Amino acid sequence: MTREAAILDATADAVETARQDEFGQFMAARWAGLVRVAYGLTGDRWVAEDVAQAALASAYAAWWRVRRADDPDAYVRRILVNTSNRRFRRRRVTEHAREPGELPDTVVADPSDLIGQRSVLLSALRELPARQRAIVVLRYWEDLSDAQVAAALGCTEGTVRSQASRALAKLRGSAALADGVTGRGAA
């Protein structure tokens, strides 16, 4: 190996190490937030972690584009939403909201009774179409502005507002939320 080739090889290794370190820091700082968004989109903690991991793998493969984007967080959120939607296209999976009576009975005291409202909300979110669910999760769960949601989903702010309005109307009329509110008051 010539001296120039050795220098180029060492430089390439140093650049790759720096790239990996930069991405590692980016990933560590955003992991919890991405899992939270994915959880809002999927309603399942384990699937949410898989979706977040797949989105970060895609982001790593295109890291040179992600880091040069105007808003890398929005870019990765868009990858996350696309990854979540893609899992339905591949497997042709349909989501089915479960009724509380369909869940298995537990023998021991279940602390999840304390988080029943979250379960009701997630059940109602699963009834929304994927795009409306993504808008509600990004807008209200992640507290992003209309402009940020539009950038993440690749649509206009007007579309975000109209889809959010339709989604909120569906949530207001949701039987799952109506039962959850009634059940909470009776407890």
Side-chain angles (χ1 to χ4, degrees):
M1 181 181 274
T2 66
R3 183 171 185 245
E4 290 82 18
I7 291 172
L8 287 175
D9 194 36
T11 304
D13 289 343
V15 168
E16 184 62 24
T17 301
R19 177 180 168 229
Q20 288 175 352
D21 290 344
E22 182 183 13
F23 180 78
Q25 291 171 358
F26 178 86
M27 182 196 71
R30 282 135 181 108
W31 173 253
L34 291 174
V35 171
R36 188 174 51 246
V37 171
Y39 182 67
L41 296 172
T42 64
D44 184 307
R45 176 180 169 197
W46 310 115
V47 174
E49 287 183 359
D50 290 345
V51 168
Q53 184 175 5
L56 284 171
S58 296
Y60 180 73
W63 182 238
W64 63 274
R65 254 187 320 223
V66 172
R67 103 176 154 207
R68 285 179 175 79
D70 291 337
D71 186 359
D73 291 326
Y75 197 103
V76 172
R77 278 192 298 269
R78 179 63 182 168
I79 293 172
L80 182 82
V81 170
N82 288 343
T83 302
S84 177
N85 291 340
R86 194 173 303 120
R87 71 188 173 95
F88 290 108
R89 284 188 219 124
R90 264 192 231 133
R91 297 185 195 151
R92 301 287 183 212
V93 174
T94 58
E95 291 184 7
H96 300 285
R98 291 188 175 193
E99 295 297 323
E102 295 176 7
L103 298 175
D105 292 333
T106 56
V107 178
V108 295
D110 187 9
S112 68
D113 291 340
L114 302 174
I115 56 170
Q117 292 175 359
R118 175 176 275 189
S119 174
V120 169
L121 176 60
L122 289 172
S123 175
L125 280 173
R126 281 191 294 270
E127 294 173 4
L128 294 175
R131 185 174 188 137
Q132 288 180 2
R133 181 174 45 237
I135 287 172
V136 168
V137 168
L138 292 173
R139 180 70 181 97
Y140 300 104
W141 199 326
E142 283 298 302
D143 199 28
L144 299 179
S145 69
D146 289 341
Q148 291 170 316
V149 174
L153 298 179
C155 61
T156 66
E157 291 181 45
T159 300
V160 170
R161 286 190 293 272
S162 68
Q163 290 294 305
S165 175
R166 290 178 184 144
L168 292 175
K170 284 183 183 179
L171 289 174
R172 284 184 195 107
S174 169
L177 286 177
D179 291 343
V181 171
T182 304
R184 187 180 65 207

